Structures are given as structure tokens and as C-alpha cells.
């Protein structure tokens, strides 16, 4: 423990030095610039040779990585302009050696190490949320939504968000050329008599040398700074007025589903076939340029990819992200993190999913956007009765606005969950994020729940149903950064439309990091040393439930390779025995255990990109060794293979118990072009004894017009059990055909 304490002390002693040497930079202080309004038409063909483009000045780019303001080796010109209906983005993306160009896959929204050209738009200019569009030399489209000012890195990015836009690219011996056309109707924004101000970042990233050229001038002081809304360049568009198109998307679905269930005497499993014939409707309407209404009737998510299997080696719940498209647009506005390991007041997966199994959604509506100074999010959904699960209504209201300065917000969120039997769960939360000075931020949150059954007669206790969080952080990865968080959750706090890992605990987490970015002459891009730690205390007696100390050392090369060396020191006080599998349990007791980690990953330019993690050490009253590896292999632009494999070898020698936990995943993605694609997602989980197949074939006729063929199956790999009848080979199977077409008025 002494080296860990010494490391933390050295990092705190470095604070005055870091404060003195940090580069002076104030995000958002650059004066706004006017984008060019087109007087002549643009033909979207990827040639970027229209006379109209010659009238648009390219932006002055700088190198963002691997060396800030280093020498740019590949000539690049990026231009942005607009007309009455569209925002246009053009790139002249030259290569001195065209063989360095990386276009690995036609598969939409699955980045495979391709070279990218992008624009990030903070359309409401709120310094919190942004829409991110990028493409590759093959014209493959990617669209994402950024929330929380990208403060949580990848966790702040919603990769499942999609909207309407077009792109065209061409490739020559000089390099490649790209044109994007984004309808204003796909962007929520505020206009004042036709004047619109939003934030904008444009960049080019090249796989072969890990170079990123960006506008505006953004120093590498933040993780993922090139998509951080608060550092975007403010741009002005004039003569742009609200559009109110109506998007009506009916769908038709047909197929067969087979489910195996235990019969009433519990002597055998019986299979039943359900022939499915469904129709439904989604509607999108921009009430104003700032507010978008989405409505849905008989919602279906047949084409959504299966959840990633996980192995739970803890006594707490696992978190699964939302993948359903209806809940994606501006989903960041509904974010209400309540601290202590990702707990949140609202999690949309509680709607229409029970233990991962879908429940029919009869319909609902969703309103997101801005009214005046307020960000608004409203959601109401109705589910049907299914077996013993009653019909339920879910409601959510989110309000938030700027306070004190453009980087501080205050707001609240309320949810309701009411079923036809009279049970209800109500919650509310108040939150404030204040930028105190520079990169110093203070966050405070309070949440409370009210959960009652019709037969309940117990008295309501205000404090016992609440949760409080206070956090001070320095949002800067250059030099010294830190985060101090305190959370207290009481015994009766129970947001049934949210996600909570632990209740009735107090949580304290002091994290400290120091990152050094190297100069042009070094082979290293950065060195990162730090320590993450936390402690959970029981409210009842103040005893320690869990404590964790994780010092680490990370090296990143200019080419993008990474090596992480770390140790972890964990204390667990187990008062109730819990199962790791059907045969292995962790007994009651207090445990200290320690392990070491090594992680390594290659640069993105490799066509075959493996990564590996090795972790070994004590584990409760035994030992655990974890080997995790993954690889992506682009055999051609039409075919990609990706896989991960995790092996946990757990031994409790004194108790003669052991567990070998295997988790394997294989993704096969193929695309003939940007229209026809197919994907197979295969998973094996030895702890759950299942093999899951999720296969999807998609023909994309045009934006909003898709045909899907879906095949899903769950196979039982261990059919014989010590008690009960033998399990069937197939637990569930579905073959479905779904067609959607979008009408626009």
C-alpha cells in the first residue's frame, strides 16, 4: 500500500506545477463566424467540383493528435456551407501515398478502423449536447449523439442514434473526396427571425499515421476533445427558418416464434408456435424548430441487435444499455446519473423489457427539444398485460436550463410508473452542474422515490426514500485532474424506472490522475499515471461493505498503441452468501484480495487488430485468473470478422470448489454495398449455459425505407439438471420479416 499512497501524494504535490504550466485556453471565447450561404446549387456526387464550392473558404486546420500543433503531412481542405434546406460539408482529403487510404467496411454505424471525415454540431448551442456525423472513403455513414459535454468519454456517446442525411464520396490517385448533405429538418435548433447560432467542429482522422486535423483550435486537454460541444466554434447561419416536416413510418411484420415453456405439472417442456402478423406506425413531427414530437403505435423492435452477454462475478446487478431506436433521439436530456457506479434515476430499458424479455408496447409519445431557455424532455408509454405482468403506464418529464454561465445547468426530472392493479412508483430529482472556474465543476443532485402498493399502510419517511450526490471534479486530462464524489442512498430509495446497484449505503470516491503529453520527437503520445478508488459504507452501522484501490500506469504511442499496467486491491465484507454459479458460492466473511492487470491494444491502422487483458490474483478466499482477448479482422471492405473471448478460472482450494467461466462472442458483418448488408452475432455463456444466435439481413432502399430479415435463437448447452425435467435444445426461436417505409410531408 505504501507505493500507492506515495503515488497519490506525488500527484497532489504536482498541482501547483500543473497549474503554472497549463496552457491558457478558454473554451467558447472565440468570436462566432458566419458560414457561407450558397448562391448556386450543389450536386451531391462526391466530386466536390461544383463552382459553388470555389466560393467557400476552407477552414484553417491544426493537428490535434498525435502532437498538438505538429506538422500536418497530408493536404486537407474542409468547407461548410448551406442553403435554405441543407447544411453541406465538403472535404478534399489528399494522400501523398494513396496506398495509405483506409476504407475497411461498407457496414453502417460499425466503425472498423476506417479513415474518417466528420462534423460535430451543437445545434442548440447549449455546450452540452451535439450531433456527430462522419463518413469514410467508401461513403459509409455514421451518426451519433453526444451528451454531458462528452465528460464521460465514450459513455457520453449514443451510438444507436440515427437520422436522415446523405453522403457521397469518390476516390482517386490523389486521395478521396466527400460531400455530406444534412437536412435542417434533421437538426433541432433555435432561430431568431431566421438567424441561427450553433457550435461546430470539423475534423479529419487518418488511420495509417493516427493524425487528426481539426477546426477550431482545440488543445488535447479533454478526453475526446474533438467532439466536445463546449469547445466548438460558434457559427452563424442566416435566413434559416423552422421546418415542420411530418415523417410517418408504418411497418409490417410477419413470421413465426417458438417458445419452450415448462408445463403445469412441471414434468416436461412444451413448445408452442406463435404466428406473428403485426402492423404499427411511428410518427415524427417538428412542432417548432426547437421541439420534436415522436409518437408510436404498436411499437416493435424486431431488428434490434441482441444484448451483449455478461458474466456476473459480483453480488450486484449488471447494467445493459438501451439499443432501441425510439428512445435514442436526444436521449442525453433524460440522463440523470445518481453516482456510485452508474446508477441513474431513469433508464428507458425498464419500459417494455422484463429480465431482457420484450413486453408489448401498445403505444406512446415523446417530446424533446427546447422552449426558450429550457431544455424539455417528455415521455409517456403504455405497455400491455402479458401473463402475470400487468399493463403499465410510464411517464417521464425532464426540465433543464443554463444558470450563472453557459457551462452550468440546473434542472429536474420526474418519473411515474403505474399499473392497472393500483401499484405505483413516483420519483423526482433535482440536479445542478456549476462550472466554478476554469475546468473546475461542482455537481449536486437529490432524488427521492415514493413506492406504494394498495395494501401498504406504512408511514412515509422523507429521508429514507432519498439519495444525495455531491461531486467536485477537474475536467482536464492534461496535467493533474481529479474527481471527488460523495453519494448517500437510503434504504427505501427505489426508482423502478431507473437503475440502482446498491441501496442504503454511503459512497466516497477520490480519483486522481496525471497525464503528460509528449513532444514531436518522442515516440510516445502521452503517459498517464493515476489511482481510482472508492469505499461503500453501510448506513446502518457505518461498516465498510466494499473498498477498492486501483493504481495504474498507461503508455500511448504516437501510432495509437496502448499498454496499461495496474494493480487492484479490494476489500469485501459479505454478510449474505451469494452464488457465482449453480455449484459455486462465496461464503459469509470479510476478505482482502489483490491482483495485477496487464492490458495491450494495437493501433487502429492494423487490418487485424487484437487486444489482450491478463489479470490474476487472489479472489475472496481463493484465486482468480482472467484472460480476455478480442480481435477485429477486415478481410475486405465487404467482410469483417470480430470476436471476443473471456475466460475466468476461479479456484477455492480450501472448499474444493471451482468455476471455469467462458464467454465468447463472434460478429460476422458483410456488406455488398451501402444498401445490402448482413450481420450475425453469436454468443456463448457457460455460466448461463446458453448459445445465442442473432442474425439480421438488411436491404436499405433509401433513408427511412428498409427491409429486414431476422433470425434469433437461444440454445441450451447444458440440458441435464439434477432436479427437474431435461431442458429442450432450443429455448426460443424466431424468424421475422419486417418492412418499413417513411412518408415525408
Amino acid at each position: 500500500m505504501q507505493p500507492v499512497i506515495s503515488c497519490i501524494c506525488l500527484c497532489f504535490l504536482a498541482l501547483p506545477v500543473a497549474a503554472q504550466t497549463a496552457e491558457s485556453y478558454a473554451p467558447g471565447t472565440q468570436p462566432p463566424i458566419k458560414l457561407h450561404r450558397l448562391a448556386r446549387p450543389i450536386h451531391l456526387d462526391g466530386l466536390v467540383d461544383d463552382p459553388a464550392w470555389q466560393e467557400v473558404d476552407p477552414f484553417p486546420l491544426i493537428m490535434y493528435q498525435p502532437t498538438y500543433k505538429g506538422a500536418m503531412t497530408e493536404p486537407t481542405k474542409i468547407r461548410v456551407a448551406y442553403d435554405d434546406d441543407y447544411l453541406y460539408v465538403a472535404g478534399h482529403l489528399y494522400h501523398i501515398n494513396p496506398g495509405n487510404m483506409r476504407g475497411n467496411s461498407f457496414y453502417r454505424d460499425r466503425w472498423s478502423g476506417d479513415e474518417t471525415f466528420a462534423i460535430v454540431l451543437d445545434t442548440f448551442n447549449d455546450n452540452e449536447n451535439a450531433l456527430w456525423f462522419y463518413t469514410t472513403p467508401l461513403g459509409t455513414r455514421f451518426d451519433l449523439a453526444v451528451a454531458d459535454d462528452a465528460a464521460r468519454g465514450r459513455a457520453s456517446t449514443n451510438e444507436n442514434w440515427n437520422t436522415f442525411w446523405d453522403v457521397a464520396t469518390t476516390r482517386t490517385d490523389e486521395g478521396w473526396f466527400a460531400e455530406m448533405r444534412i437536412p435542417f429538418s434533421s437538426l433541432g435548433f433555435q432561430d431568431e427571425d431566421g438567424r441561427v447560432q450553433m457550435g461546430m467542429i470539423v475534423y479529419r482522422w487518418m488511420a495509417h499515421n493516427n493524425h487528426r486535423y481539426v477546426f477550431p483550435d482545440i488543445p488535447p486537454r479533454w478526453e475526446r476533445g474533438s467532439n466536445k460541444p463546449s469547445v466548438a466554434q460558434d457559427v452563424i447561419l442566416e435566413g434559416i427558418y423552422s421546418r415542420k416536416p411530418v415523417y410517418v413510418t408504418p411497418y409490417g411484420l410477419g413470421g413465426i416464434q417458438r417458445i419452450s415453456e415448462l408445463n403445469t405439472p412441471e414434468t416436461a417442456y412444451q413448445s408452442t408456435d406463435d404466428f406473428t402478423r403485426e402492423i404499427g406506425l411511428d410518427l415524427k413531427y417538428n412542432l417548432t424548430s426547437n421541439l420534436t414530437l415522436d409518437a408510436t403505435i404498436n411499437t416493435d423492435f424486431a431488428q434490434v441487435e441482441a444484448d451483449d452477454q455478461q458474466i456476473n462475478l459480483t453480488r450486484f446487478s449488471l447494467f445493459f444499455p438501451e439499443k432501441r431506436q425510439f428512445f435514442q433521439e436526444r436521449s442525453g436530456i433524460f440522463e440523470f446519473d445518481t453516482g456510485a457506479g452508474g446508477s441513474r434515476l431513469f433508464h428507458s430499458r425498464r419500459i417494455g423489457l422484463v429480465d431482457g424479455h420484450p413486453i408489448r408496447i401498445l403505444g406512446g409519445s415523446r417530446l424533446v427539444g427546447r422552449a426558450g431557455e429550457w431544455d424539455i424532455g417528455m415521455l409517456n408509454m403504455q405497455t400491455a398485460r402479458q401473463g402475470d405482468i400487468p399493463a403499465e403506464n410510464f411517464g417521464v418529464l425532464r426540465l433543464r436550463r443554463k444558470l450563472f454561465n453557459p457551462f452550468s445547468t440546473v434542472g429536474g426530472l420526474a418519473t411515474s410508473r403505474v399499473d392497472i392493479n393500483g401499484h405505483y412508483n413516483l420519483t423526482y430529482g433535482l440536479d445542478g452542474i456549476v462550472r466554478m472556474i476554469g475546468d473546475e465543476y461542482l455537481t449536486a443532485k437529490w432524488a427521492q422515490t415514493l413506492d406504494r402498493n394498495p395494501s401498504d399502510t406504512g408511514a412515509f419517511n422523507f429521508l429514507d426514500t432519498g439519495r444525495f450526490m455531491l461531486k467536485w471534479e477537474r475536467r482536464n486530462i492534461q496535467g493533474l485532474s481529479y474527481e471527488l464524489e460523495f453519494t448517500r442512498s437510503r434504504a427505501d430509495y427505489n426508482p423502478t424506472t431507473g437503475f440502482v446497484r446498491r441501496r442504503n449505503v454511503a459512497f466516497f470516491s477520490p480519483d486522481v490522475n496525471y497525464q503528460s503529453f509528449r513532444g514531436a520527437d518522442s515516440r510516445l503520445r502521452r503517459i498517464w499515471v493515476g489511482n481510482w478508488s472508492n469505499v461503500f459504507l453501510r448506513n446502518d452501522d457505518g461498516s465498510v461493505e466494499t473498498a477498492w484501490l486501483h493504481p495504474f500506469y498507461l503508455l500511448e504511442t504516437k501510432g495509437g498503441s496502448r499498454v496499461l499496467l495496474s494493480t487492484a486491491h479490494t476489500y469485501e465484507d459479505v454478510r449474505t452468501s451469494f452464488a457465482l454459479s449453480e455449484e459455486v458460492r462465496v461464503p459469509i466473511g470479510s476478505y482482502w484480495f489483490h491482483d495485477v492487470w496487464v492490458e495491450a491494444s494495437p493501433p487502429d491502422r492494423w487490418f487485424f487488430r487484437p487486444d489482450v487483458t491478463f489479470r490474476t490474483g487472489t479472489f475472496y478466499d481463493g484465486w482468480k485468473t482472467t484472460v480476455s482477448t478480442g480481435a477485429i479482422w477486415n478481410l475486405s471492405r465487404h467482410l469483417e470478422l470480430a470476436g471476443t473471448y473471456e475466460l475466468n478460472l476461479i479456484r477455492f482450494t480450501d472448499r474444493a470448489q471451482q468455476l471455469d467461466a467462458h464467454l465468447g462472442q463472434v460478429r460476422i458483418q458483410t456488406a455488398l454495398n451501402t444498401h445490402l448488408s448482413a450481420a450475425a452475432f453469436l454468443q456463448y455463456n457457460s455460466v448461463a449455459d446458453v448459445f445465442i444466435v442473432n442474425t439480421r439481413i438488411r436491404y436499405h432502399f433509401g433513408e427511412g425505407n428498409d427491409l429486414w430479415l431476422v433470425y434469433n435463437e437461444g440454445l441450451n448447452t447444458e440440458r441435464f439438471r439434477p432436479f427437474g425435467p431435461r431442458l429442450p435444445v432450443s429455448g426460443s426461436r424466431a424468424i421475422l420479416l419486417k418492412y418499413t417505409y417513411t412518408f415525408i410531408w
Side-chain angles (χ1 to χ4, degrees):
M1 297 295 290
Q2 185 62 38
V4 175
I5 298 173
S6 300
C7 176
I8 297 174
C9 293
L10 286 173
C11 289
F12 276 110
L13 289 172
L15 179 58
V17 177
Q20 293 168 8
T21 60
E23 183 175 349
S24 176
Y25 178 85
T29 59
Q30 303 93 334
I33 61 175
K34 289 186 178 181
L35 291 183
H36 181 89
R37 186 180 179 92
L38 295 167
R40 291 190 273 185
I42 295 290
H43 180 53
L44 193 76
D45 55 13
L47 297 174
V48 200
D49 59 355
D50 296 287
W53 281 125
Q54 306 309 312
E55 301 170 2
V56 183
D57 293 329
F59 294 113
L61 304 173
I62 62 105
M63 179 185 282
Y64 175 80
Q65 72 181 57
T67 304
Y68 177 52
K69 291 188 176 180
M72 295 188 291
T73 60
E74 312 291 339
T76 304
K77 296 179 182 178
I78 298 178
R79 296 176 168 93
V80 178
Y82 66 99
D83 60 18
D84 288 343
D85 302 305
Y86 300 98
L87 185 74
Y88 294 87
V89 190
H92 289 79
L93 310 162
Y94 297 101
H95 274 281
I96 295 176
N97 179 2
N100 289 330
M101 194 186 312
R102 294 287 193 273
N104 295 335
S105 177
F106 282 112
Y107 206 89
R108 182 174 180 177
D109 288 337
R110 285 288 188 192
W111 183 75
S112 302
D114 311 69
E115 181 172 333
T116 57
F117 165 59
I119 184 168
V120 181
L121 297 169
D122 178 2
T123 58
F124 284 104
N125 208 30
D126 60 9
N127 298 305
E128 284 286 329
N129 302 282
L131 305 178
W132 181 4
F133 304 86
Y134 66 93
T135 189
T136 74
L138 300 179
T140 307
R141 288 179 300 159
F142 302 80
D143 37 19
L144 307 92
V146 179
D148 195 27
D149 196 25
R152 294 176 289 120
R154 185 169 183 174
S156 298
T157 302
N158 181 357
E159 299 177 358
N160 295 304
W161 175 79
N162 289 299
T163 192
F164 294 86
W165 61 294
D166 295 295
V167 67
T169 62
T170 58
R171 288 160 286 152
T172 72
D173 291 339
E174 295 181 295
W176 64 290
F177 308 88
E179 290 177 310
M180 300 182 192
R181 183 175 64 197
I182 305 172
F184 287 123
S185 56
S186 294
L187 305 175
F189 57 84
Q190 284 188 306
D191 74 274
E192 297 180 3
D193 297 325
R195 184 180 185 274
V196 177
Q197 184 164 326
M198 61 178 67
M200 182 196 74
I201 299 171
V202 293
Y203 72 80
R204 175 193 187 183
W205 179 80
M206 289 157 284
H208 76 280
N209 56 11
N210 197 32
H211 283 198
R212 189 183 302 267
Y213 305 156
V214 65
F215 174 84
D217 181 349
I218 302 173
R221 286 175 51 183
W222 306 275
E223 197 71 49
R224 291 199 168 197
S226 58
N227 58 45
K228 186 176 179 66
S230 65
V231 299
Q233 170 67 54
D234 283 357
V235 296
I236 296 172
L237 302 85
E238 295 178 331
I240 302 301
Y241 297 92
S242 62
R243 301 287 191 273
K244 299 180 182 179
V246 180
Y247 300 88
V248 179
T249 306
Y251 80 84
L253 180 145
I256 184 171
Q257 300 184 67
R258 172 172 291 182
I259 300 176
S260 298
E261 296 179 315
L262 191 63
N263 62 13
T264 302
E266 297 187 355
T267 57
Y269 282 86
Q270 295 179 339
S271 296
T272 57
D273 292 336
D274 179 14
F275 292 90
T276 301
R277 294 178 296 275
E278 298 286 351
I279 58 172
L281 183 74
D282 292 335
L283 179 145
K284 180 187 292 289
Y285 176 55
N286 293 333
L287 298 176
T288 70
S289 61
N290 311 330
L291 288 171
T292 301
L293 173 67
D294 291 275
T296 181
I297 299 173
N298 198 25
T299 316
D300 178 84
F301 301 105
Q303 76 278 18
V304 175
E305 185 180 78
D307 288 322
D308 289 8
Q309 286 286 301
Q310 301 180 46
I311 292 178
N312 192 354
L313 299 179
T314 75
R315 50 202 160 126
F316 307 105
S317 301
L318 295 173
F319 178 81
F320 292 89
E322 178 63 86
K323 293 187 176 184
R324 298 171 295 176
Q325 184 60 36
F326 181 81
F327 298 100
Q328 301 302 329
E329 184 170 345
R330 283 185 66 81
S331 60
I333 196 173
F334 294 100
E335 289 284 343
F336 198 103
D337 175 22
T338 53
S343 297
R344 55 198 63 196
L345 190 59
F346 171 65
H347 185 30
S348 58
R349 279 183 61 97
R350 299 299 188 197
I351 303 173
L353 285 172
V354 175
D355 296 329
H357 300 292
I359 303 297
R360 178 186 291 275
I361 296 178
L362 298 177
S365 60
R366 188 172 183 272
L367 180 69
V368 292
R370 174 173 288 186
E373 297 296 323
W374 289 91
D375 292 324
I376 297 176
M378 299 177 65
L379 178 69
N380 190 273
M381 305 294 289
Q382 180 67 45
T383 63
R385 183 183 184 91
Q386 186 165 312
D388 296 332
I389 302 171
E392 294 182 291
N393 181 268
F394 297 81
V396 186
L397 172 63
R398 175 62 153 143
L399 299 173
R400 184 177 61 195
R401 63 162 296 163
K402 298 295 179 185
L403 187 70
F404 304 132
N405 57 58
F407 307 97
S408 303
T409 62
V410 63
L413 183 141
T415 73
S416 65
R417 182 174 184 174
V418 183
D419 68 31
I420 59 173
N421 297 328
H423 178 271
Y424 62 87
N425 180 270
L426 309 176
T427 78
Y428 77 92
L430 303 173
D431 65 333
I433 303 174
V434 180
R435 182 185 178 194
M436 306 300 289
I437 184 172
D439 292 313
E440 307 289 333
Y441 284 78
L442 175 66
T443 301
K445 299 187 181 185
W446 164 260
Q448 191 171 33
T449 67
L450 177 62
D451 190 285
R452 289 292 182 269
N453 286 302
S455 59
D456 284 345
T457 58
F460 172 73
N461 186 301
F462 181 84
L463 292 179
D464 279 351
T465 57
R467 184 181 179 103
F468 173 74
M469 190 265 275
L470 188 68
K471 180 169 66 175
W472 185 287
E473 61 184 320
R474 186 168 191 255
R475 295 183 179 180
N476 186 340
I477 66 170
Q478 188 174 27
L480 183 70
S481 63
Y482 42 80
E483 179 180 299
L484 303 174
E485 178 187 326
F486 176 76
T487 299
R488 188 180 181 93
S489 182
R490 302 304 292 262
D492 294 331
Y493 174 77
N494 181 34
T496 61
T497 52
F499 176 78
V500 181
R501 277 199 168 93
R502 309 192 197 205
R503 297 186 181 89
N504 202 24
V505 293
F507 169 81
F508 180 64
S509 175
D511 296 339
V512 62
N513 301 273
Y514 190 88
Q515 298 193 50
S516 172
F517 288 84
R518 318 308 288 174
D521 296 333
S522 175
R523 296 181 60 184
L524 296 177
R525 178 175 180 253
R526 65 170 168 171
I527 299 174
W528 181 2
V529 60
N531 180 72
W532 299 332
S533 56
N534 59 55
V535 59
F536 289 88
L537 303 174
R538 296 184 178 92
N539 289 332
D540 294 335
D541 57 10
S543 63
V544 176
E545 182 178 77
T546 300
W548 189 59
L549 190 66
H550 181 199
F552 62 90
Y553 187 78
L554 181 144
L555 300 176
E556 179 184 347
T557 69
K558 292 283 179 59
S561 300
R562 292 187 176 194
V563 176
L564 173 70
L565 307 174
S566 63
T567 65
H569 310 274
T570 307
Y571 173 80
E572 290 282 1
D573 184 34
V574 179
R575 295 186 176 180
T576 302
S577 176
F578 67 96
L580 298 177
S581 69
E582 291 185 358
E583 298 83 14
V584 179
R585 300 188 66 84
V586 174
I588 295 172
S590 296
Y591 306 91
W592 266 109
F593 46 96
H594 316 274
D595 56 7
V596 295
W597 290 1
V598 179
E599 298 181 17
S601 59
D604 291 321
R605 68 175 180 270
W606 289 12
F607 289 106
F608 180 73
R609 300 184 297 281
D611 61 73
V612 64
T613 298
F614 177 80
R615 182 176 179 179
T616 187
T618 52
F619 183 68
Y620 294 98
D621 57 334
W623 283 79
K624 177 168 73 75
T625 296
T626 300
V627 179
S628 176
T629 184
I632 300 175
W633 188 10
N634 296 106
L635 284 81
S636 75
R637 65 190 62 176
H638 302 288
L639 178 61
E640 175 185 291
L641 302 180
T644 61
Y645 174 70
E646 179 182 316
L647 171 63
N648 287 278
L649 300 175
I650 302 174
R651 299 291 184 267
F652 299 107
T653 306
D654 294 342
R655 296 189 278 117
Q657 291 186 355
Q658 68 178 47
L659 172 64
D660 295 344
H662 303 264
L663 179 62
Q665 298 177 331
V666 175
R667 276 190 172 91
I668 305 170
Q669 296 176 176
T670 181
L672 181 64
N673 48 44
T674 55
H675 294 282
L676 180 61
S677 61
F681 185 26
L682 315 176
Q683 301 186 80
Y684 170 64
N685 186 332
S686 68
V687 175
D689 292 322
V690 295
F691 182 82
I692 297 172
V693 180
N694 175 224
T695 303
R696 299 173 299 159
I697 300 174
R698 177 190 186 189
Y699 189 82
H700 177 68
F701 297 93
E703 202 63 24
N705 185 8
D706 294 284
L707 178 67
W708 297 87
L709 178 62
V710 180
Y711 166 66
N712 296 326
E713 183 156 16
L715 302 173
N716 295 305
T717 60
E718 180 56 58
R719 300 174 58 200
F720 298 93
R721 300 182 300 168
F723 304 100
R726 184 174 62 176
L727 293 171
V729 175
S730 176
S732 63
R733 178 184 301 157
I735 302 175
L736 302 169
L737 187 70
K738 182 176 181 179
Y739 178 71
T740 64
Y741 187 89
T742 300
F743 300 90
I744 305 176
W745 288 281

